Amino acid sequence: MNNRPERNTGNNTVLRTRNLGKQVSSPEGPLTILDDVSLEIGAGETVALIGPSGAGKTTLLALLAGLDRPTIGDVQLCGEDLTAMDEDGRARVRGRHVGFVFQSFHLVSSLTALENVMLPLELAGAAGAAARAREALDSVGLERRTTHYPKQLSGGEKQRVAIARAFVTRPSILFADEPTGNLDAASGDRVADLLFNLNEQSDTTLVLVTHDRELAGRCDRIIELEAGRMVS
Amino acid sequence: MTSWSFAVKSLLRDLRAGELSVLLIAIIIAVTAMTAVGFFTDRVGRAIKQQAGSVLAGDLVLRAPAPPDPSFIDEARRLGLDATEAMSFLTMVLPADVDNESNALTQITAVGEGYPLRGELLVAAAMFGESERAAGIPERGTGWAEPGLLGRMNLDVGDRVRIGTVELTIARVLEYQPNQISGGMSAMAPGLLVNLADVPSFGVIRPGSRATYREFFAGPEADIATFRQRLESAAGDGIRVSGLEDAGEQINSAIDRAQRFLTLASLVTVILAAVATAMAARRYALRHLDTIALLKSIGATQSFVQNSTLSQLLLVIIGTASIGSALGFVAQQGLVLLAPATLYIELPPTSWTAGTLGLLTAATITVGFALPHLLMLKDTAPIRVLRHDMPPPKLSSGVTYGIAIGTLLLMIYSIVRDLKLVAYIAVGVGTVALLSYAAGWLLVRSLTRFRGAAGVAWRYGLANISRRGTESIVQIVAFALSLNVLLLLTVVRGDILQAWQATLPEDAPNYFLINVDPEQWPDMRAFFETELGASPEFLPFMRGKIIRIGGTPVDDYVFPGDGGKFFVRQESNFTWQGALPETNRITAGKWWGADYTGALQASLDERVAGRLGIGVGDTLGLNIGGEEFDVPVTSLRTIEWDSLRPNFYLMLSPGEVEDLPQTYVAAVYVPRDRRLVLNQFVRAFPGVTVFDLDVIMSQVRMVIDRASLSVQYVFLFTLLSGVIVLLAAIQATRDERRFESALLHTLGAGRRKILQGIAVEFTALGCLAGTLAAFGATAIGYVMAEQVFELDYTLNPWLWPLGLVLGSVIVGATGTWATRKAVTEPPVAVLREV
Ligand SMILES: Nc1ncnc2c1ncn2[C@@H]1O[C@H](COP(=O)(O)OP(=O)(O)OP(=O)(O)O)[C@@H](O)[C@H]1O
Ligand SMILES: [Mg+2]
């Protein structure tokens, strides 16, 4: 858990998709919401997914993280073929390699900030969960808020807790769906800074969906979607 | 981390956050009710058995007209049983004081060391003194006299009386002694208890004197059963053997009804608790979808989620079972305390079998009602973390409700073991639920079109009902169920208990007159009319044997059990009668009717028919006074033994048997202060045996009173579970309401308006639910009284307005009160969550 074996296999690609597509059924018949997406993302890279609303950004992110299955094509995450796996297999891969930051934070309201951060460690059965979680909260500047419940935190603080939670397992790749979407400019910037700092420090690959051109501009690469297709 | 330790942690966290309160309380109430009643009925059941023993003075009694073989007693003692003996006879007792010219024909009971083996003697140091348990039996040379004897002879403790050639000192007043009902009829004469060893010195018993000899045995159930068989095979002519199951059909019948009340109360509690559990579990699951999706997104597998859910449920079961059983045990102590001290028995200690019932209840409710909702959590789509509006995983409602209802029916059946009762409960509750569902649906539909000109609050509140659709319907069903129970418990319970107490009114006949010559009857009736202004009821009384069953001689007949064999071995008492006695109910076949004159028919007690393995349409061969009859059984009956009227297992139609040799048995009410009239009666009609029902009557009354009290007590739990359903139903829409009102707030709606809207919504729901509940309570009350408790139920017209008002007020007030926080909370706090 502490080291990431896959990163040292000599293969520098963390994420690879081929001809990825997703169709859903709608009252008017089948609807293609994602079409023929092939991409490769290297270790430590930062990638922004942009595009107008309804373009399929969230859809793509869900497929990349194995939260959903594609109708066609495949996804390789850290050398493992997500498409060939069942839900539990994908969950294990996520547990080992993936961190998440969501637009709406998704903190568990009955848990304190510290307990929220401990959650992924507890799930993975890691030792010293409390100490590591404290450290993670420290690194997002919330060391004095450990015993607070989510409803006692501001949006920016919540998102920082979420970031601590995402990084505490030292994932190979971190997915963020509009991490600053619910925040004002100042706390949005702070959250973004944190994401990029932690990315640098831990060499974690960062894939984020955003509407914020500026935020996207800070990434190594921008992938633009339109109507379910990659346009750049 | 293992799913187990994760489960423990998150359970503790949920507990701390109050997420589980309603769920846990619901299950705990169910367990408490079940175990309290379980513990209690278990103890009462055993106490009642002992009670039967204390009526007999032993577990097994042999009664003979001549001294029985003394080897029985030795043999019993060798087998480790307790044994003792007694004899009784009538003789004249005179005061030793020559100035006192009174005398009295007295029933002498001479008892051996150890008497009574079961039950006890209550004595007082002086007339009307404080009564206490007697230690031992009268010492030689002394006697304990009943107050009647002392009164009649104008004597008190310390005076001396003469029997035959000897004098005895009256050492105590005998207030109570075991009444050997089943052995025979205790005679009218007042009693004197003496030491058996003194009897030879009296010189009044000679060969051929009329006396009754009894031997008493007590010990473990199995040994007694074996010894009974031994006695019965060895017993000669005129000897009767009776055991606990022959004693006190009357008390058994009363206790039977009491148990039905108690069981029913606890069952309704369990049903309600189950409903509350299901609602609470559903809410819990819905509230946890996001958390589970999150866990899955960070690596939790389905089996992890499932295992941790299962572990949590296991903990819930163990926790609620322990807390509930402990509470049940405490509650049961309270129940015992409530029991009036008039019963001279101690409740035996608690048995732990009732404790396992607690575990079973918790497990059944949790597995049947919480599990299906919680298991759906494992199917939560992880993509929910990105798409909040993903519908919750589908819960196959057929399977869920199938499991729940199946479990419930099984549980009810395993406790009641009475298909009829289970069917009534199932149909009753089902009908109320279905009707409420239909009515709720109608309301929701009709409000969709509601465009009233009424105020905003009204429009908002009523529109909400239709907007919430299914949830409103579910709420109406839940409210109706809980209100239904409230009404049943407050109004109908009182009515039924009253009807029960009315089966044994103060002026119920308290003396049976047995062995009445039909020729004497007119004189006898005239006697009571002039002396008491009362005319006794009477029934013909004949004795005979069942010799054939369905054409097969009883010796060759294969009985379903031993009960039937015992029943036909002894002579049976029959009667013939045109009209069905009001304390009897036909359960199968058809009663012949008051004016019937055709061919001979028989009607049999339902349970006896079961023991004989026959039903309507079979024939019984009877030998009555040497004449043989083959009689078709045309109906089966149940008998209200606790009414204490003369009743017969076997009744014949009038006509053919009217001219056979027979006597009458009559029942008459003699007020306590006129008891001495019976003295004249005995003198005027010496052949008639007078049987005093007072002891047994007070025992039956005691059972009824005590049972009523315990039923009220157990109903408290039912009430609680009704309230919990109410809370669960209100909680079901609480989260939604919080967001709504926060939103409305932000949009500029005033607190009062929002609160009014909520009040209107709940009041409307409560009004409908209350009306439905009144309907349900009337129907269930009627069916319960008539069919289950076999009591006459009178409709209570107050139920309807009460239901409507109670429903609106209770649901309106508690609903608004419980949601009030949602409205007073600053909207930011709500909108900020997540
Ligand atoms: N399960 C589904 N069924 C039907 N349509 C869907 C489903 N999931 C997504 N869509 C549609 O697919 C399209 C892409 O959705 P997606 O959420 O990926 O867009 P997005 O780029 O994330 O938009 P936004 O920036 O608004 O979040 C949308 O038009 C959406 O309505
Ligand atoms: Mg999106």
Side-chain angles (χ1 to χ4, degrees):
Chain A
M1 186 68 40
N2 299 356
N3 52 354
R4 282 160 278 146
E6 279 74 20
R7 301 206 66 180
N8 305 328
T9 53
N11 178 357
N12 239 9
T13 305
V14 189
L15 191 62
R16 188 210 317 266
T17 71
R18 269 195 319 238
N19 312 106
L20 203 58
K22 174 85 180 169
Q23 263 194 356
V24 294
S25 52
S26 73
E28 291 88 38
L31 184 72
T32 303
I33 56 175
L34 200 69
D35 194 15
D36 200 22
V37 173
S38 300
L39 51 83
E40 248 177 67
I41 296 173
E45 225 182 328
T46 52
V47 179
L49 284 180
I50 61 166
S53 187
K57 304 181 294 291
T58 300
T59 309
L60 178 57
L61 195 77
L63 291 178
L64 295 180
L67 292 174
D68 202 4
R69 343 184 52 153
T71 346
I72 187 170
D74 58 63
V75 180
Q76 302 245 346
L77 182 69
C78 298
E80 304 198 53
D81 184 1
L82 291 184
T83 12
M85 293 177 177
D86 61 1
E87 204 201 299
D88 281 358
R90 295 197 300 271
R92 283 189 205 99
V93 170
R94 281 197 300 272
R96 248 174 293 147
H97 303 295
V98 176
F100 281 104
V101 174
F102 308 101
Q103 178 176 9
S104 52
F105 322 133
H106 282 314
L107 298 184
V108 179
S109 59
S110 61
L111 304 186
T112 62
L114 184 70
E115 288 165 347
N116 265 290
V117 179
M118 282 164 65
L119 207 54
L121 293 173
E122 288 178 345
L123 263 182
R132 283 173 64 184
R134 220 174 283 276
E135 205 176 298
L137 277 173
D138 216 13
S139 67
V140 297
L142 287 176
E143 60 280 356
R144 307 226 322 270
R145 306 294 229 136
T146 49
T147 58
H148 287 214
Y149 286 92
K151 64 175 151 201
Q152 298 166 303
L153 300 171
S154 74
E157 286 161 347
K158 277 188 222 175
Q159 196 61 305
R160 275 147 65 197
V161 173
I163 291 171
R165 181 177 67 189
F167 275 103
V168 76
T169 55
R170 298 185 200 149
S172 320
I173 184 162
L174 186 127
F175 293 101
D177 191 12
E178 305 192 33
T180 58
N182 274 356
L183 303 174
D184 60 59
S187 33
D189 283 347
R190 173 129 201 228
V191 162
D193 289 347
L194 266 175
L195 281 175
F196 284 104
N197 285 345
L198 289 167
N199 155 257
E200 250 165 50
Q201 281 163 26
S202 57
D203 217 14
T204 300
T205 308
L206 186 61
V207 177
L208 56 85
V209 169
T210 184
H211 281 225
D212 183 350
R213 283 274 160 189
E214 200 190 322
L215 180 60
R218 295 176 67 175
C219 294
D220 303 338
R221 180 145 60 114
I222 294 181
I223 294 173
E224 191 171 352
L225 287 181
E226 222 178 273
R229 294 182 143 269
M230 245 169 87
V231 292
S232 74
Chain B
M1 168 175 269
T2 59
S3 52
W4 171 251
S5 56
F6 182 79
V8 174
K9 266 198 178 154
S10 52
L11 188 70
L12 289 177
R13 287 166 183 163
D14 279 336
L15 277 178
R16 188 183 62 196
E19 288 285 309
L20 287 166
S21 313
V22 172
L23 185 81
L24 295 184
I25 292 175
I27 304 176
I28 288 176
I29 288 179
V31 174
T32 309
M34 281 313 267
T35 47
V37 173
F39 280 132
F40 185 71
T41 45
D42 185 46
R43 285 177 74 170
V44 168
R46 282 184 287 148
I48 292 306
K49 259 215 147 154
Q50 279 192 4
Q51 171 89 343
S54 71
V55 167
L56 286 178
D59 294 337
L60 190 64
V61 179
L62 176 148
R63 180 170 159 268
D69 189 341
S71 69
F72 289 150
I73 295 222
D74 296 339
E75 193 180 333
R77 290 196 174 130
R78 259 203 316 282
L79 289 171
L81 299 174
D82 292 333
T84 190
E85 54 191 327
M87 66 176 295
S88 51
F89 51 91
L90 281 173
T91 192
M92 202 57 92
V93 171
L94 308 169
D97 180 356
V98 286
D99 295 341
N100 186 338
E101 291 188 349
S102 64
N103 62 52
L105 187 66
T106 305
Q107 168 92 11
I108 306 283
T109 305
V111 297
E113 215 50 68
Y115 177 90
L117 300 179
R118 294 277 187 252
E120 56 204 2
L121 300 169
L122 287 184
V123 293
M127 281 281 266
F128 309 112
E130 199 71 26
S131 51
E132 56 181 23
R133 293 178 196 186
I137 58 169
E139 283 177 28
R140 296 200 56 178
T142 70
W144 298 349
E146 286 182 0
L149 181 67
L150 297 178
R152 205 169 303 179
M153 291 173 50
N154 199 16
L155 295 175
D156 207 338
V157 173
D159 290 332
R160 293 170 70 77
V161 292
R162 176 187 298 278
I163 303 175
T165 53
V166 300
E167 283 187 12
L168 293 179
T169 307
I170 304 292
R172 292 269 190 286
V173 181
L174 182 62
E175 301 261 319
Y176 172 86
Q177 66 165 317
N179 181 339
Q180 297 94 23
I181 331 175
S182 64
M185 315 282 170
S186 91
M188 183 36 219
L192 180 67
L193 194 76
V194 301
N195 195 305
L196 188 62
D198 281 339
V199 173
S201 67
F202 297 162
V204 293
I205 299 295
R206 289 177 206 91
S209 295
R210 276 190 65 166
T212 304
Y213 297 82
R214 289 192 176 82
E215 290 183 347
F216 303 89
F217 309 96
E221 227 173 286
D223 299 348
I224 286 291
T226 326
F227 191 64
R228 179 179 185 154
Q229 284 186 352
R230 155 92 187 85
L231 276 188
E232 277 177 345
S233 57
D237 249 6
I239 293 186
R240 291 188 80 151
V241 177
S242 23
L244 294 185
E245 52 286 358
D246 312 310
E249 180 85 78
Q250 297 83 356
I251 290 184
N252 284 338
S253 165
I255 210 68
D256 210 51
R257 259 208 274 242
Q259 277 191 355
R260 280 198 214 184
F261 264 119
L262 286 171
T263 318
L264 195 73
S266 54
L267 279 179
V268 173
T269 311
V270 171
I271 295 176
L272 285 176
V275 171
T277 304
M279 294 181 85
R282 171 147 191 84
R283 175 166 189 260
Y284 178 88
L286 290 179
R287 280 170 67 93
H288 282 68
L289 284 176
D290 286 341
T291 309
I292 298 298
L294 175 83
L295 287 177
K296 284 190 152 187
S297 79
I298 58 178
T301 58
Q302 278 195 318
S303 57
F304 180 90
V305 174
Q306 175 172 322
N307 290 345
S308 85
T309 305
L310 291 179
S311 324
Q312 288 183 342
L313 285 182
L314 190 67
L315 288 175
V316 165
I317 291 173
I318 295 172
T320 50
S322 331
I323 297 177
S325 302
L327 287 178
F329 181 75
V330 172
Q332 173 251 173
Q333 297 294 340
L335 213 55
V336 172
L337 280 183
L338 277 182
T342 42
L343 179 61
Y344 305 118
I345 54 163
E346 260 169 86
L347 284 176
T350 309
S351 103
W352 282 103
T353 47
T356 42
L357 188 66
L359 200 62
L360 221 68
T361 311
T364 319
I365 293 193
T366 312
V367 170
F369 293 84
L371 183 71
H373 294 285
L374 297 183
L375 269 191
M376 109 186 157
L377 281 174
K378 80 171 196 314
D379 295 325
T380 312
I383 196 174
R384 203 181 157 84
V385 290
L386 296 174
R387 297 192 194 285
H388 212 36
D389 48 354
M390 285 290 288
K394 265 240 160 13
L395 180 74
S396 120
S397 49
V399 173
T400 318
Y401 295 121
I403 292 178
I405 293 171
T407 333
L408 201 63
L409 288 181
L410 227 104
M411 192 156 96
I412 298 177
Y413 181 73
S414 69
I415 296 159
V416 188
R417 297 217 176 269
D418 179 349
L419 271 180
K420 200 165 114 185
L421 192 57
V422 174
Y424 281 130
I425 295 173
V427 171
V429 173
T431 312
V432 172
L434 267 183
L435 275 178
S436 329
Y437 194 92
W441 186 81
L442 274 178
L443 179 76
V444 167
R445 284 305 297 269
S446 63
L447 287 178
T448 321
R449 251 153 259 151
F450 178 80
R451 297 276 183 277
V456 184
W458 276 91
R459 218 168 38 227
Y460 170 63
L462 294 181
N464 267 347
I465 293 182
S466 83
R467 192 171 46 76
R468 281 189 234 287
T470 320
E471 267 168 45
S472 293
I473 300 177
V474 169
Q475 278 189 320
I476 290 175
V477 174
F479 289 145
L481 274 181
S482 56
L483 288 171
N484 185 354
V485 169
L486 293 187
L487 288 176
L488 270 174
L489 297 192
T490 44
V491 184
V492 178
R493 179 215 57 209
D495 294 348
I496 292 185
L497 286 183
Q498 233 168 40
W500 189 19
Q501 269 152 352
T503 57
L504 199 54
E506 272 310 312
D507 58 356
N510 53 355
Y511 286 92
F512 280 1
L513 313 173
I514 294 161
N515 215 12
V516 176
D517 185 342
E519 309 258 293
Q520 282 178 310
W521 178 243
D523 295 342
M524 208 180 281
R525 194 207 302 256
F527 173 89
F528 282 109
E529 261 160 18
T530 43
E531 293 293 335
L532 296 172
S535 76
E537 311 164 10
F538 77 100
L539 282 174
F541 180 94
M542 46 212 324
R543 295 179 69 83
K545 285 194 96 160
I546 296 176
I547 49 170
R548 275 185 299 275
I549 296 175
T552 314
V554 287
D555 289 337
D556 306 332
Y557 185 77
V558 184
F559 290 93
D562 281 346
K565 230 178 287 173
F566 286 135
F567 188 80
V568 298
R569 184 174 301 166
Q570 297 175 338
E571 276 208 318
S572 303
N573 305 330
F574 322 138
T575 190
W576 58 263
Q577 189 74 353
L580 181 68
E582 52 179 280
T583 53
N584 287 215
R585 268 164 205 260
I586 299 296
T587 58
K590 204 168 163 285
W591 182 254
W592 40 79
D595 307 322
Y596 181 80
T597 48
L600 194 60
Q601 300 183 14
S603 173
L604 204 54
D605 173 72
E606 193 180 53
R607 276 191 303 160
V608 168
R611 266 180 230 162
L612 300 183
I614 60 173
V616 171
D618 290 316
T619 54
L620 279 179
L622 303 177
N623 179 328
I624 307 173
E627 270 191 70
E628 295 195 1
F629 301 84
D630 277 297
V631 195
V633 175
T634 54
S635 63
L636 301 183
R637 288 166 297 134
T638 55
I639 299 166
E640 258 176 50
W641 290 103
D642 51 355
S643 67
L644 294 179
R645 301 303 173 90
N647 265 308
F648 294 84
Y649 291 119
L650 180 60
M651 293 180 80
L652 299 172
S653 63
E656 250 178 88
V657 291
E658 279 180 42
D659 300 326
L660 292 176
Q662 57 192 278
T663 58
Y664 284 172
V665 52
V668 62
Y669 171 66
V670 182
R672 279 228 83 84
D673 52 347
R674 300 295 320 275
R675 279 180 75 178
L676 295 185
V677 163
L678 291 167
N679 260 332
Q680 300 169 39
F681 176 82
V682 178
R683 271 184 214 124
F685 303 94
V688 175
T689 309
V690 178
F691 178 37
D692 186 348
L693 286 175
D694 266 345
V695 173
I696 184 86
M697 261 178 139
S698 62
Q699 281 169 343
V700 169
R701 279 212 182 91
M702 186 272 309
V703 169
I704 293 180
D705 288 347
R706 159 187 243 178
S708 308
L709 211 64
S710 5
V711 166
Q712 320 252 34
Y713 187 75
V714 171
F715 273 167
L716 269 180
F717 293 107
T718 319
L719 214 66
L720 269 181
S721 62
V723 172
I724 271 288
V725 170
L726 206 76
L727 284 183
I730 289 170
Q731 258 208 347
T733 53
R734 231 190 88 187
D735 296 332
E736 220 182 309
R737 274 172 220 283
R738 290 183 66 209
F739 276 96
E740 275 168 22
S741 34
L743 212 60
L744 283 171
H745 253 326
T746 0
L747 295 179
R751 288 210 160 116
R752 280 208 24 216
K753 276 268 145 32
I754 300 176
L755 214 54
Q756 275 170 7
I758 290 175
V760 166
E761 187 182 342
F762 275 120
T763 309
L765 290 177
C767 178
L768 179 65
T771 315
L772 289 166
F775 173 80
T778 314
I780 294 177
Y782 176 79
V783 174
M784 282 293 157
E786 295 279 333
Q787 301 295 322
V788 180
F789 297 114
E790 304 181 337
L791 297 166
D792 293 318
Y793 178 66
T794 26
L795 220 111
N796 191 325
W798 280 106
L799 266 179
W800 297 79
L802 206 67
L804 194 133
V805 173
L806 264 187
S808 315
V809 172
I810 292 185
V811 175
T814 45
T816 315
W817 187 79
T819 343
R820 138 205 70 109
K821 235 185 109 201
V823 181
T824 48
E825 244 175 334
V828 258
V830 179
L831 296 178
R832 213 182 216 202
E833 271 179 28
V834 178

